[in-house]
Amino acid sequence: VIHYIERISRESERERIDIRDLPNQSDEQLGEGETYAVERDGEVVGHFVPKKHRDPEADRAAVAAFQHRLADLRAKGWLDDEMLDSLNAASVAVIEIDVELAADASVRVAELLRARGVNLISNPALSLNLSAHAWSEVRHELPRRVAAGELRGRFSSHEAAIALRDALALVERFVVVWPESTYSRWQSIARRRVPRDENDWPTVALALTLESGIWTADADFLGCGVPTWTTETLLLRLGV
């Protein structure tokens, strides 16, 4: 583990990028799998690893060829039905469902305190992102939601403290929070796309930056020019 950390540190020292330049760089320009130290005013504020792109069609073709080979082995009597079914199921599982979304603050506050929300947020096939504005709103609203639950008898005082701690820890572990500088260039366009509530512009701007959809239950996002996903749609898509 120490060797791994030292190696990452050395790589990060060699490859540095200013946070203001990061949105203008493509994964191809940065290099897939390379580790970059992201700095602001000369100080390292985090690290960035460009996402490795997969070819879904190539994955499916490889799985189909593998399953064809399995069927051939079964016909020759080298595999029984139980082993064939098991290997076929395992081969399908290697095709990852990679859904990348910018999350609306309101849906995050609601789902962080639900079992289904915890299962969704921690799902490895779901890549979730929050704007700095949305994260600020989550940190403001979540304690109020937990306190209201305590007043209604949903939580004891001790349970409320644990629920709040775990919810915030869940975001910090599984969600990427993006500083405003990474999506602010889309502000004017994003504001025009959510005229009913311009305060929603950061989530739209982040989705435009990441070229992703938005996880939301707010109808104000409909027609904003990017795909919107409801919780129910995500549950079906990921089989949670």
Side-chain angles (χ1 to χ4, degrees), residues 47-87:
H47 292 85
F48 175 75
V49 180
K51 182 173 65 177
K52 293 186 177 181
H53 296 284
R54 297 173 60 105
D55 183 347
E57 292 305 319
D59 285 346
R60 292 186 181 92
V63 169
F66 177 67
Q67 291 178 332
H68 179 76
R69 178 60 175 158
L70 290 179
D72 182 54
L73 294 175
R74 176 68 186 96
K76 293 178 179 178
W78 294 354
L79 294 176
D80 59 28
D81 289 339
E82 183 178 356
M83 185 174 294
L84 178 65
D85 291 342
S86 176
L87 289 171

Side-chain angles (χ1 to χ4, degrees), residues 115-220:
R116 70 174 190 179
V118 172
N119 290 333
L120 272 177
I121 294 165
S122 59
N123 192 306
L126 181 60
S127 176
L128 282 176
N129 305 273
L130 273 179
S131 68
H133 296 77
W135 176 224
S136 177
E137 187 176 341
V138 168
R139 286 183 296 173
H140 175 71
E141 290 295 332
L142 192 60
R144 297 176 60 182
R145 184 71 61 92
V146 171
E150 183 181 352
L151 287 175
R152 291 195 301 269
R154 179 182 175 187
F155 304 115
S156 68
S157 178
H158 178 65
E159 290 170 339
I162 292 176
L164 180 59
R165 179 201 66 192
D166 290 350
L168 293 174
L170 191 69
V171 175
E172 292 174 356
R173 180 176 179 184
F174 292 105
V175 181
V176 178
V177 178
W178 294 81
E180 183 178 352
S181 58
T182 60
Y183 55 82
S184 58
R185 61 185 174 135
W186 290 99
Q187 179 175 170
S188 59
I189 294 175
R191 284 185 180 277
R192 292 196 297 270
R193 294 194 181 189
V194 279
R196 285 177 290 186
D197 187 354
E198 289 192 2
N199 290 330
D200 288 329
W201 77 263
T203 298
V204 176
L206 181 59
L208 291 170
T209 300
L210 300 176
E211 298 181 352
S212 73
I214 296 174
W215 178 16
T216 183
D218 189 344
D220 287 348

